[in-house]
Amino acid sequence: MRVNPPPSNISPIQARNTPGIYNWMVIPLFIIIIFIFIYLLYRYIKRLHATPEWIEAQKKRPTTRKDCAATAKRFSLTKDEELLLWDICRTTKATNITHTINNADTLDAIFKKYYNTMISSRADEEKISKIFLLRYKIEMADASESVITSTTGLVQGTKIIYIAPDKTQIQCKLKKNTAENMTLAVPHNFFNSHAKPEPLSKAQFIFTTHSGMTYTFMARVIRYSTGLDNGAEMVLAQTNDVRTQAKRKSKRSDINIPCTFSAVSENAKTREHSGTLTNISADGCCILTNLPIKENQNIAVSIMLAEKTYDAFGKIVSTHKNITSEAVFLDIVFTKISSEARNRIFAYVYNYVSHEQSDSA
């Protein structure tokens, strides 16, 4: 078979008209154009997503399943917790949870609405407990993202507790906070107390943030003074030695309501005594009493909330004197409490009880 070689006298114009001769140039050029288009589209979308109008629209749109998945990843939620969050958002028609979750008041409004929906439908108490456990987990995760490392960041009005060497606790309040020092309002009889730390000595203090995170710090006492309002003051040096304490299992709230309690002997209550609840959580409480009760005793407590009285059994884990009245604080951890009582305490701490429920109780 004879093959004729291509003619050697092809002109440049004929060569340009030959099919496929410039394909190796057209294909790369086409790919470059596609990449340029994608890049320009990306830049346009990025600028669009940065506009206040787009961001505001995203905040107001309904929560999607994808939003809950992203939130669950951010706060290390379990699959069951992610599904519960999705049910909460879907039931309450919550706006974009990835934005809402950064506002504690708005988030609490969503959880409160869902809680009251569960109460109205007489949902199982165990399911209701999971609502509060999820809320507290999100709250603690959020608080961990903004840990306090210096006392200069404390806001006026923060309640600060001085811990004396003998474990006596003195309730103080941050009256003034400057770059140089902080001024605490202290009880008047603190000046003459044996628990008062000497000027220029270091003392231990504890405070709890709104989110429930508890911190402890050591600070040097500069001086004692009397304020313009004739109130007793203790001036402390600022410190960066602020440390988080072990996280509580549930949120704790200050309270000031009467209660009754009694010692427990062989699972039976003894004579009841009156006291005052000074703080409470779903896992324990603190009672102020004049009785000299020791640690490690079993105790029964009747907690009088708005709707009714709930009973709980617990153990006294620590006691400390109140310098202002010589009374004793009893720190109690609950050992036996119904799911209903736990949930109503949760609702009290988070202020989720509706006025309608209180009025109808």
Side-chain angles (χ1 to χ4, degrees):
M1 179 176 175
R2 184 178 178 181
V3 179
N4 295 322
S8 57
N9 58 345
I10 296 177
S11 67
I13 296 177
Q14 290 175 321
R16 286 196 296 271
N17 291 331
T18 302
I21 199 164
Y22 285 114
N23 285 351
W24 66 274
M25 294 181 62
V26 173
I27 293 175
L29 182 62
F30 181 71
I31 293 175
I32 291 173
I33 292 173
I34 291 177
F35 273 104
I36 292 175
F37 174 77
I38 293 174
Y39 173 74
L40 293 176
L41 180 63
Y42 166 76
R43 290 290 301 271
Y44 171 76
I45 294 174
K46 189 175 181 180
R47 286 197 301 269
L48 178 65
H49 288 185
T51 61
E53 294 80 10
W54 190 90
I55 294 174
E56 193 63 27
Q58 287 299 301
K59 290 180 180 179
K60 293 180 179 179
R61 68 168 175 77
T63 296
T64 64
R65 186 71 178 80
K66 186 178 179 181
D67 295 330
C68 287
T71 303
K73 183 178 180 180
R74 173 186 169 186
F75 291 99
S76 301
L77 304 183
T78 66
K79 194 63 180 179
D80 288 342
E81 291 169 337
E82 178 186 335
L83 292 174
L84 175 57
L85 181 64
W86 170 233
D87 191 47
I88 291 172
C89 294
R90 183 175 51 185
T91 302
T92 61
K93 295 180 172 56
T95 54
N96 191 344
I97 191 64
T98 59
H99 290 274
T100 302
I101 207 162
N102 297 319
N103 187 308
D105 291 337
T106 305
L107 187 63
D108 275 326
I110 294 171
F111 271 73
K112 179 178 180 178
K113 184 177 180 179
Y114 187 77
Y115 165 76
N116 285 301
T117 300
M118 294 295 100
I119 291 296
S120 300
S121 63
R122 300 185 182 278
D124 180 72
E125 293 291 346
E126 292 299 326
K127 182 177 181 180
I128 294 175
S129 294
K130 293 177 181 178
I131 300 172
F132 292 107
L133 295 177
L134 173 60
R135 179 67 188 94
Y136 187 67
K137 183 173 183 177
I138 293 172
E139 190 172 47
M140 287 296 95
D142 184 56
S144 299
E145 292 180 355
S146 55
V147 176
I148 296 174
T149 58
S150 173
T151 53
T152 56
L154 300 183
V155 298
Q156 183 177 329
T158 300
K159 294 180 180 179
I160 299 177
I161 299 175
Y162 161 61
I163 307 296
D166 63 355
K167 302 305 178 183
T168 298
Q169 296 188 8
I170 290 86
Q171 301 282 342
C172 310
K173 182 181 287 188
L174 184 58
K175 196 172 181 179
K176 184 179 179 182
N177 199 5
T178 67
E180 294 76 25
N181 52 59
M182 47 186 164
T183 302
L184 305 186
V186 298
H188 274 286
N189 57 350
F190 182 59
F191 282 175
N192 299 322
S193 170
H194 68 281
K196 182 184 73 173
E198 293 296 325
L200 302 184
S201 66
K202 280 195 171 184
Q204 182 184 2
F205 299 85
I206 292 177
F207 68 92
T208 302
T209 63
H210 175 71
S211 64
M213 185 76 77
T214 301
Y215 294 84
T216 181
F217 66 90
M218 298 292 293
R220 192 174 300 280
V221 179
I222 299 176
R223 64 180 182 276
Y224 295 96
S225 60
T226 301
L228 297 176
D229 57 357
N230 291 323
E233 298 176 345
M234 176 167 55
V235 181
L236 306 178
Q238 297 287 5
T239 178
N240 294 325
D241 185 22
V242 180
R243 303 175 185 179
T244 57
Q245 287 197 318
K247 296 179 181 178
R248 299 183 186 274
K249 294 181 180 179
S250 59
K251 188 174 182 176
R252 185 175 293 263
S253 176
D254 290 336
I255 193 173
N256 185 25
I257 61 173
C259 69
T260 59
F261 64 93
S262 59
V264 176
S265 178
E266 297 180 357
N267 295 324
K269 296 182 182 180
T270 60
R271 185 167 64 92
E272 284 192 341
H273 304 279
S274 297
T276 301
L277 277 174
T278 60
N279 63 56
I280 193 169
S281 76
D283 296 298
C285 64
C286 182
I287 295 177
L288 182 65
T289 176
N290 291 320
L291 298 177
I293 301 177
K294 296 182 180 179
E295 299 177 3
N296 299 319
Q297 293 192 49
N298 295 323
I299 192 170
V301 185
S302 292
I303 303 166
M304 293 170 267
L305 297 179
E307 61 275 19
K308 68 178 187 179
T309 299
Y310 298 96
D311 293 326
F313 291 88
K315 185 175 183 179
I316 302 174
V317 293
S318 66
T319 64
H320 48 273
K321 293 181 180 179
N322 178 22
I323 191 172
T324 60
S325 63
E326 296 300 325
V328 178
F329 289 104
L330 309 178
D331 292 321
I332 300 166
V333 59
F334 294 142
T335 55
K336 183 180 180 182
I337 183 172
S338 67
S339 296
E340 180 186 2
R342 277 176 55 86
N343 290 335
R344 301 309 170 268
I345 293 173
F346 269 130
Y348 178 89
V349 171
Y350 279 99
N351 194 27
Y352 284 1
V353 180
S354 66
H355 295 297
E356 290 79 7
Q357 287 179 317
S358 300
D359 294 339
S360 62

